[in-house]
Amino acid sequence: MKKVLVTGGTIFVSMNVAKYFSENGYDVSVLNRGTFPQLKNVTWIKADRDTLTDELDNLEFDIVLDVNAYNEDDIRILLEHIGSFKEYVMISSSAVYPETNPMPLGESQTIGPNSFWGTYGTDKIAAEKYLLSKVEDAIILRPPYLCGYGNNIYREAFVFECALADRPFYLPEDGEMKMQFFDVQDLCRFIEILLEKKSEGALDKDSYPLIYNVGNPETISVIDWIKMCYSIVGKTPEFVNVDSSHFIRSYFPFTKYEYVLDILKQQELMPDTKDLRKSLEESYEWYKSNKDMVSTRPYIEYINNNI
């Protein structure tokens, strides 16, 4: 039974990662502060990764699944304090690509500052570069928007809330902006595929660095995504179009940035991905019983006061 360390392990992505590997025969330990309830059947290492002391001393892991590394210090501190490991997987972000790059965004393209993502993207770049300077065969994944079971980010949850309250939905301009998603459980499945391929020698040094864009092959427009979320609740949205004089992030859960990732490398190893509607249905089932876990934002307050 391989020993796995998951950073986090209590909310959304890290929770799904820890749960997936625990349920698929791995010995999973989670590293977190204990802010949220812990999963069953995992070993809890109580610590803040920013202030690690001896919590990981002499501990050996086959795999590190680093879900919540946001900057270079996050990587450096963990590497300085962990006992030993064989494989390292980092969840990065598509925010590392400049918006000036040609679409679709491919793994071989230049990475750099993106004006839409700001320091979030540049911090992820620094984390990637530091990790590869220390662990040259680390696996790095760059997802678009993640969705699915356990999503506590105020995205589809905001739309579900509007639908349940029979609110009209305030639509950015014409709603035709395209978005790309990836189900969090597909992310888990792809991590395991990569680890298995690597252990078989199928990901050789000619493939290094081992960087993979991940995502659904299809994009979806904002308006169709909202209609899908409403229909899952059993409602039909009434739209109010909002012009560009209003900053989109004041009333809508996504930034005004249309991009698409080249995921051919992912598709070669994992041709099938979960249907977006199925992913949103699973998100809604979780949301209904966990509304208090969602990190809300004052979108409705802004709408009421300014639109």
Side-chain angles (χ1 to χ4, degrees):
M1 183 180 290
K2 290 186 177 181
K3 299 185 68 174
V4 176
L5 174 66
V6 177
T7 58
T10 56
I11 58 173
F12 192 30
V13 182
S14 65
M15 177 269 289
N16 275 282
V17 170
K19 187 172 184 287
Y20 177 91
F21 280 86
S22 175
E23 291 177 349
N24 283 276
Y26 295 79
D27 178 4
V28 175
S29 296
V30 296
L31 174 70
N32 62 69
R33 295 169 294 175
T35 307
F36 297 96
Q38 302 298 318
L39 290 173
K40 297 179 180 179
N41 302 318
V42 302
T43 300
W44 177 28
I45 303 171
K46 185 178 182 180
D48 185 333
R49 72 180 294 164
D50 294 332
T51 56
L52 284 171
T53 54
D54 60 354
E55 294 88 353
L56 298 178
D57 286 4
N58 303 315
L59 295 183
E60 298 179 355
F61 298 97
D62 294 291
I63 305 163
V64 174
L65 302 180
D66 198 348
V67 180
N68 58 5
Y70 294 103
N71 54 51
E72 179 180 327
D73 283 345
D74 287 342
I75 300 290
R76 177 182 55 77
I77 293 169
L78 189 63
L79 290 178
E80 287 176 352
H81 288 88
I82 196 168
S84 67
F85 61 89
K86 297 176 183 176
E87 303 291 349
Y88 199 114
V89 180
M90 175 196 168
I91 309 301
S92 184
S93 170
S94 56
V96 301
Y97 297 110
E99 73 272 23
T100 52
N101 280 9
M103 303 293 172
L105 300 170
E107 295 95 339
S108 62
Q109 290 185 6
T110 301
I111 58 176
N114 182 305
S115 63
F116 292 95
W117 296 115
T119 57
Y120 174 76
T122 53
D123 283 349
K124 282 286 192 179
I125 290 171
E128 283 189 12
K129 288 183 175 180
Y130 186 83
L131 175 60
L132 292 174
S133 74
K134 300 296 182 181
V135 187
E136 67 172 6
D137 66 342
I139 295 172
I140 293 174
L141 303 183
R142 294 172 177 168
Y145 297 117
L146 290 166
C147 61
Y149 180 84
N151 190 358
N152 68 316
I153 304 171
Y154 204 39
R155 290 176 181 161
E156 58 256 39
F158 171 60
V159 187
F160 297 149
E161 177 187 298
C162 291
L164 289 167
D166 290 318
R167 296 179 188 140
F169 197 89
Y170 287 74
L171 185 69
E173 300 179 20
D174 62 3
E176 291 302 321
M177 182 180 78
K178 296 294 192 296
M179 299 187 294
Q180 188 175 23
F181 291 90
F182 194 49
D183 182 80
V184 66
Q185 293 174 3
D186 278 347
L187 176 70
C188 298
R189 191 160 57 94
F190 189 57
I191 291 171
E192 187 175 35
I193 289 171
L194 287 173
L195 290 168
E196 289 174 350
K197 292 292 185 183
K198 191 164 184 280
S199 70
E200 295 166 0
L203 305 179
D204 57 29
K205 285 192 174 290
D206 291 337
S207 303
Y208 290 177
L210 299 174
I211 297 174
Y212 295 84
N213 288 342
V214 293
N216 289 350
E218 305 88 5
T219 59
I220 187 170
S221 68
V222 166
I223 192 168
D224 287 340
W225 177 76
I226 294 163
K227 288 177 180 178
M228 187 179 292
C229 290
Y230 266 72
S231 70
I232 287 168
V233 181
K235 303 292 181 72
T236 300
E238 171 192 344
F239 289 111
V240 177
N241 296 86
V242 181
D243 63 43
S244 59
S245 65
H246 294 274
F247 178 52
I248 189 171
R249 292 295 281 121
S250 298
Y251 66 94
F252 185 69
F254 297 93
T255 193
K256 188 181 178 181
Y257 173 44
E258 184 175 277
Y259 69 97
V260 61
L261 298 174
D262 179 342
I263 59 162
L264 289 178
K265 288 171 63 177
Q266 170 201 305
Q267 289 180 300
E268 289 175 359
L269 298 173
M270 189 180 78
D272 59 314
T273 55
K274 186 178 295 185
D275 179 75
L276 178 58
R277 183 181 181 89
K278 176 64 175 175
S279 181
L280 291 172
E281 287 172 347
E282 292 174 356
S283 181
Y284 181 56
E285 286 304 309
W286 177 87
Y287 167 77
K288 288 191 294 185
S289 302
N290 296 276
K291 294 178 184 178
D292 59 330
M293 293 281 289
V294 176
S295 300
T296 60
R297 298 184 62 170
Y299 298 140
I300 296 302
E301 180 181 341
Y302 180 87
I303 289 168
N304 290 338
N305 294 333
N306 298 280
I307 300 178

